[in-house]
Amino acid sequence: MDQYKGKKVVIIGGTSGIGLATAKMLVDGGAHVLVTGRSQAGLESAQKELGDGALVVSSDAGSLTDIDALATRAKAEFGTFDLLFVNAGVGLFAPFEHTTEAMYDEVFSVNAKGSFFSVQKLAPLINRGGAVVLTTAISNVKGMPMLAAAGATKAALRSFARMFAVELAPRGIRVNAVSPGPTDTPSWGKSFPDKDMAAQITGQMSEANPMKRLGTSQEVAKAVLFLAFDATYTTGAELPVDGGQSQL
Amino acid sequence: MDRFEGKKVVIIGGTSGIGLTTAKMLVDGGARVLVTGRSQAGLESTQKDLGKGAIAVSSDARSLTDVDALAARVKAEFDTFDFLFVNAGYSLFAPIENATESTYDEVFNLNAKGPFFAVQKLAPLINQGGSVVFTTAIANVKGMPLLASYGGAKAAMRSFARTFAVELAPRGIRVNAVSPGPIDTPLIGKSLPDKDMAAHVVGQFSETSPLKRIGTSEEVAKAVLFLAFDATYTTGAEFPVDGGLSQI
């Protein structure tokens, strides 16, 4: 497989779940990939899983200092590159009555502000004909319990996809979003450390979904790569990978 | 290429433009394809173009009698099949003041009523794991001059994609829509027989499009095939192939 031969890709939040699955498909297809993550354990296991085709870099997606350093690193490693996948995101499950200012600020600083400045700092390095993909979420268009703050961060991100698309169009760079529904990733388990509760919510989510199951990281990754490399006349759009949940 | 080996596909409106291009990609990938069209010349050139992997069938997408006959023919040829692409459609460009009941009915019969009954009659023959794709249009979400009845009919079709998706989900069939913006197909010439006016409109469309060009049939066909075979956790959705026009 050399579908992605010669492509250079930066994935912010690429050490687990959807980001890691996307990185794997790219490395398998011959691309050079730089992925970021925060936890030392995650960085090490991602490096092992991805092998020599990938650079795994420690970077906090919510820190503007780290984003500056990441841009410098991407420039040093790649010069320029072809795809920026902004995938880092933190979950916050809390009724809005119990959401504190600190909780609110944390989720907005990673999901919205960090993403905004990542694109600002890295877009100058993206080649003409390249693309940006942002990971939004169906909570951006659906009212869902416990997701008031997190859903709003993703709504901001959805809007960035449109705004960046229009500003980057003259440079020949497309910007789109992929919107996962419930997806079977490690962060799903992390959001619900209690195993019984995780199993119960997984069961409920499957039941509530028109396709009666969760999605897989691979299904989202395929959509990301379609938007990145094949959807050459699509920009500013959002593609749901949600079993129909945002539509039905 | 045997990406579509063993797949059986029905394309309503497959003798030119987006439908024909999609049929070609499928035949090249090893699929068996039944395409419909109305004009004898179009059917003959399509059969020649597509070769033995395809069956070109005369069928008027507006006629419920023809839709019934088509279902019988598909059953005889394929028994069951994997993918139904409901692509027939065109617009009559007219200001609201000049629309007559008969132009309104023609546009709605072709773009809404015909597709509704085509899916009703053909869905029982679609295999579990199969899918339906409708061709909507950005006029379904944008106010655009001269396209009032067409935009309304395509909005109806967009709604069918959601409702059919929910009704067909228990049978494991996904339903999505592709929404082309201005695309370089023979239809542009047909809708605007005056060559100067056609060139003028194409120029205007290119200028208004954020990507500063009109799209190609190949770009839409790639999206159709992605929705049909790769987007296994996406249903009820609409994917724009419009250079960003509906979003920006």
Side-chain angles (χ1 to χ4, degrees), chain A residues 146-171:
Chain A
M146 321 268 277
L147 288 170
T153 67
K154 295 297 191 176
L157 203 51
R158 172 68 187 98
S159 171
F160 296 161
R162 291 196 178 91
M163 302 299 172
F164 296 163
V166 73
E167 290 204 34
L168 293 174
R171 290 192 45 222

Side-chain angles (χ1 to χ4, degrees), chain B residues 77 80 191 240 244:
Chain B
E77 297 283 354
T80 62
S191 309

Side-chain angles (χ1 to χ4, degrees), chain A residues 37-51:
Chain A
R38 268 197 301 182
S39 88
Q40 197 51 42
L43 292 163
E44 280 166 19
S45 70
Q47 185 70 70
K48 217 166 121 186
E49 212 160 327
L50 295 172

